[in-house]
Every structure is written in C-alpha cells, then in structure tokens.
C-alpha cells in the first residue's frame, strides 16, 4: 500500500485560493478563508442596493479609509474618516459622491455627528447598487 505524500511547497501550482494555510498565534496549523484573513487585517467588504432616496444606518464602522463603487453607475470614490463628521472625499471629479456635511450629490456617505454611526444615502431617483470596502486603522 503506497503512502499518500504531501505536495512540496515549491511544486504547488498557482491559482485563486478558497482557503489559505498558516499558523495561529499559538503555533497550531489553521486554514482560514480569504474573508477571515482580510477581516484579521482590518479589511471588510459590504454590498447592498439602496432604493431611490433610501438611507441606511451602517452603525459604527470605525475610523479608516473607505472605497465606494457603484457598478451600475460606473462611479468610484475614496473617503477617509476619523471621528469627525467631515471627511476627505475624492471621486475623481465625477460629482457622484459626497460626505454628509455636503449631502447634495448622488450618494452621501459618512458620519452625521462626531463619533456617530455611519450612514449612506441614495439621493438619486433610481436604485443604486453599492460596494463598500473598509480599510480600518489597526
């Protein structure tokens, strides 16, 4: 009966992983998912559809950088927020995104008050699909 041999690390082929191999802090072997690894690094992804004029309370997401994309509108933006309601916003001049201190563009995102929850609002008259990626400060 032949023994099953593990594949040597240097002979493994490339590809898109579903799980990774690694060591836990205590030295035990683990096999986390990509989502678990991203969450451990402070990277979280959310996606949802907002109806026309809908506002969504996202809770306390924390300080950090936020990447927003609306695939059906081909628009993206970068937001940076600390604890204040005013944040840095860049949407490459598309005038599609703004923070809540502005609130006049197609999609408003951010805090309404210092240390408050995060909100996102679709100010448009049609529904908007949003993908939000948070890169938090560790």
């Amino acid at each position: 009966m032949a023994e099953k041999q593990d594949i040597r690390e240097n002979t493994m082929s490339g590809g898109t992983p579903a799980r990774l191999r690694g060591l836990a802090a205590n030295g035990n072997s683990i096999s986390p998912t990509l989502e678990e690894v991203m969450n451990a690094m402070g990277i979280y992804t959310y996606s949802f559809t907002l109806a026309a004029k809908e506002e969504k309370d996202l809770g306390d997401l924390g300080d950090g950088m936020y990447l927003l994309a609306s695939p059906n509108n081909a628009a993206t933006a970068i937001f940076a927020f600390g604890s204040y309601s005013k944040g840095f916003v860049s949407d490459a001049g598309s005038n599609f995104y703004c923070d809540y201190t502005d609130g006049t563009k197609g999609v408003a995102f951010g805090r309404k008050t210092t240390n408050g929850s995060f909100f996102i609002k679709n100010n448009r008259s049609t529904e908007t699909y949003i993908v939000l990626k948070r890169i938090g400060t560790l």
Side-chain angles (χ1 to χ4, degrees):
M1 180 177 213
E3 282 185 38
K4 183 178 176 186
Q5 297 285 322
D6 281 342
I7 299 171
R8 294 179 55 98
E9 292 283 334
N10 62 353
T11 62
M12 289 183 180
S13 61
T16 302
R19 299 188 80 84
L20 302 174
R21 297 192 308 173
L23 295 175
N26 62 7
N28 290 339
S29 292
I30 58 173
S31 179
T33 64
L34 293 177
E35 183 177 3
E36 290 169 331
V37 171
M38 288 177 44
N39 290 350
M41 296 170 55
I43 303 171
Y44 302 89
T45 302
Y46 313 91
S47 58
F48 43 85
T49 299
L50 295 170
K53 307 300 181 188
E54 180 182 2
E55 179 178 70
K56 184 174 183 69
D57 183 344
L58 301 174
D60 183 12
L61 298 178
D63 301 346
M65 183 171 59
Y66 297 85
L67 308 172
L68 270 73
S70 178
N72 58 320
N73 297 305
T76 61
I78 298 172
F79 290 77
F81 283 101
S83 58
Y84 296 106
S85 57
K86 187 166 181 83
F88 168 81
V89 182
S90 177
D91 67 358
S94 71
N95 287 322
F96 189 76
Y97 295 100
C98 64
D99 66 13
Y100 265 85
T101 60
D102 178 344
T104 62
K105 296 180 182 163
V107 174
F109 170 74
R111 298 181 194 264
K112 293 180 180 182
T113 60
T114 300
N115 290 319
S117 291
F118 278 80
F119 290 84
I120 188 163
K121 183 174 183 189
N122 176 14
N123 290 320
R124 303 178 72 233
S125 59
T126 58
E127 76 175 19
T128 299
Y129 178 68
I130 299 288
V131 176
L132 169 65
K133 187 169 297 255
R134 174 187 177 261
I135 302 173
T137 56
L138 298 177

